[in-house]
Amino acid sequence: MKWFWAVFVIAQPVLALERQALDIPVPRGMATAYEGSNLKEDLATNAQNVLFDSDLGVTKPTGFIRDNAVSFGSQTISEMVYFVNLGGTPFLAVISSNIFAYTVGGGTFTTVISTLNPTLQYDCAVGLGQVSCVSSSNTFHWRGGLRTIDTSTDFPKGDSIAFYADRVWVASGSYFYGSAYLDPDRWGLGGGVNDPVAFPVALDDGETVNKVYPFADALIVSKNHSLWALVGKDQS
């Protein structure tokens, strides 16, 4: 099915409410991430693979584990992804300050990279047997283990990344780019069915794309005052 667009315009900016105190009834008592010993199993009996990014911690239905074997410094975790590699090994990978690290099954974190730019925001996505991460300065792939894999020189840098329709998508400025079909390192544009693609998004509105995210059968593309959906599988 050929690509086509749908657009949802947000006429007014979304305003944040002033912070205020709320009375929330909790008949069974309050369980928090910082009181792991009080987080009972029956409070989350239907939860599966629950992850919570808060102060270097990971929550699970059976309680709270403060996994901090690696020194993350004073920075909290800014990105966290669950990833199962092609060999079937599950990983939890995190970015905190200048560190990209992982753990297998909870417990000790192992550092893979310690040279990330701590002033940049990294975004990561899982697909095609790997984790791919982007920022405005650099990009990399990771497939498990102690090393990352360099991306191709034309892999776009950007603010957001997603996997959709067996392609990698990266948002940069007012454009978002799609890799070749099933090839996350081929980005040279072409007119073939499986070639890489690039789409401008409302170039005259003065806004940049701030997030791309797959949802149902569409790739959602958001800007400050508009929301777009790309639907389709290829250029046919």
Side-chain angles (χ1 to χ4, degrees):
M1 180 173 63
K2 191 172 183 178
W3 310 110
F4 71 89
W5 279 104
V7 61
F8 312 90
V9 178
I10 304 172
Q12 296 295 330
V14 177
L15 301 178
L17 296 176
E18 182 179 353
R19 181 177 294 182
Q20 54 186 295
L22 299 175
D23 293 326
I24 303 176
V26 185
R28 300 178 61 189
M30 179 67 75
T32 73
Y34 295 93
E35 297 177 310
S37 61
N38 295 328
L39 185 58
K40 299 179 180 179
E41 291 189 39
D42 63 350
L43 295 179
T45 54
N46 296 322
Q48 297 291 327
N49 298 323
V50 175
L51 304 176
F52 181 76
D53 173 6
S54 176
D55 231 6
L56 314 182
V58 181
T59 57
K60 297 183 178 181
T62 54
F64 180 80
I65 302 174
R66 185 173 291 278
D67 285 328
N68 194 18
V70 171
S71 174
F72 291 111
S74 61
Q75 299 292 321
T76 57
I77 294 171
S78 59
E79 180 70 358
M80 181 166 63
V81 292
Y82 177 73
F83 166 60
V84 180
N85 70 2
L86 295 177
T89 302
F91 297 91
L92 178 65
V94 301
I95 291 178
S96 177
S97 185
N98 63 320
I99 292 173
F100 176 81
Y102 73 90
T103 183
V104 179
T108 302
F109 274 90
T110 301
T111 298
V112 181
I113 309 174
S114 59
T115 57
L116 298 179
N117 188 332
T119 66
L120 297 179
Q121 178 65 48
Y122 289 82
D123 192 35
C124 300
V126 176
L128 301 179
Q130 63 191 17
V131 176
S132 295
C133 300
V134 299
S135 73
S136 60
S137 177
N138 65 307
T139 62
F140 62 89
H141 299 310
W142 181 69
R143 295 172 185 162
L146 293 176
R147 69 185 186 93
T148 57
I149 299 168
D150 293 336
T151 56
S152 62
T153 55
D154 55 354
F155 194 110
K157 301 175 178 65
D159 302 310
S160 182
I161 185 172
F163 281 91
Y164 166 70
D166 292 317
R167 300 171 186 253
V168 182
W169 298 86
V170 176
S172 180
S174 290
Y175 282 80
F176 71 104
Y177 302 86
S179 72
Y181 178 72
L182 293 176
D183 188 347
D185 278 318
R186 186 160 70 88
W187 294 87
L189 301 180
V193 171
N194 297 323
D195 283 342
V197 294
F199 295 103
V201 185
L203 295 178
D204 58 352
D205 67 359
E207 298 179 350
T208 60
V209 176
N210 51 46
K211 189 67 177 177
V212 289
Y213 194 83
F215 178 76
D217 292 327
L219 182 70
I220 305 301
V221 181
S222 70
K223 304 182 83 172
N224 287 345
H225 296 87
S226 61
L227 191 65
W228 306 71
L230 177 71
V231 180
K233 300 298 182 184
D234 54 45
Q235 299 190 65
S236 64

